[in-house]
Structure formats: structure tokens, C-alpha cells
Amino acid sequence: QVQLVESGGGVVQAGGSLRLSCAASGRTFSSYAMGWFRQAPGKEREFVASINWSGSMTYYADSVKGRFTISRDNAKNTMYLQMNILKPEDTAVYYCAARTSGIAVPGVQYDYWGQGTQVTVSS
């Protein structure tokens, strides 16, 4: 059983930065691949970034590449998303996700989801 809790959302101005955290409860966090997804009003949930079990491999959506950085601290059972140069189009509810496989290649299914944290970027 894995439970995920996102935090760090808020309201920022375009061009600003925000750091999201995902705290995980579970014995085998270090073996899980993790991902960030987001859903804007009226849109489908979309992939943002993912990271494999060790943090040695990361993947990003083209829309955030170069601006966002995903990382993890297995000792703290926590994953992070550093978001820089934020744009109004980044406004969405951001969700943390985990999968029991350690492989984070885009397109895979995720087994656990958090409740989400709101990120609002003003223009």
C-alpha cells in the first residue's frame, strides 16, 4: 500500500518558480518509479515528468523541458518537481504518481496517485 501527498502548490507570477513535493508512505519507495502529471481546467491529464527508481533516468514533456526538474530523495521518501520560468499555461492541478516497477519510461501505467496540488500562474 502506497499513499502519496503533494504539497508546495500556490499562486505565482509568470516567470517565477515553485517547488512541489510528493511525500510517499511505503516500505519500498526506493524501488518505485515516480511521475508528475497535471490537469488544467477543461483538459485531459497530461504527463509532465518522470524519474526511475534510483534517479539516474528522467523524462520530461516537451512543454516543460529546460524549465522543470524532477528529482527524488529516497532517504526521505520524497519526490520533487522544481518549476522555473513558469508560464500561465502551466496552471493546473499537479498530481504525484508512483508505479511499483522502477522503470519510468513515458507511457507506462501508474499504480498510485496523490490528491493533487493546485498551481496557478498569473499573467
Side-chain angles (χ1 to χ4, degrees):
Q1 179 82 275
V2 176
Q3 293 185 328
L4 307 172
V5 180
E6 303 94 337
S7 62
V11 181
V12 297
Q13 193 168 8
S17 298
L18 206 59
R19 186 190 190 221
L20 305 183
S21 298
C22 173
S25 297
R27 293 178 175 272
T28 56
F29 175 80
S30 62
S31 70
Y32 301 155
M34 304 290 293
W36 287 100
F37 294 76
R38 67 187 183 187
Q39 187 169 20
K43 295 185 177 180
E44 297 291 316
R45 183 150 62 187
E46 65 177 349
F47 169 81
V48 176
S50 61
I51 187 167
N52 76 334
W53 68 273
S54 69
S56 63
M57 294 186 178
T58 58
Y59 305 88
Y60 297 92
D62 288 342
S63 59
V64 307
K65 190 179 293 291
R67 299 187 298 119
F68 290 11
T69 302
I70 189 171
S71 62
R72 67 191 297 161
D73 186 340
N74 287 345
K76 296 181 178 179
N77 279 17
T78 304
M79 177 183 64
Y80 306 95
L81 184 68
Q82 179 65 48
M83 304 184 293
N84 298 323
I85 320 176
L86 283 161
K87 305 174 180 179
E89 63 195 68
D90 295 319
T91 295
V93 176
Y94 283 71
Y95 296 91
C96 171
R99 65 191 306 263
T100 54
S101 169
I103 302 172
V105 60
V108 299
Q109 284 268 294
Y110 283 78
D111 303 306
Y112 305 98
W113 295 84
Q115 293 297 307
T117 185
Q118 177 70 49
V119 172
T120 301
V121 184
S122 62
S123 60

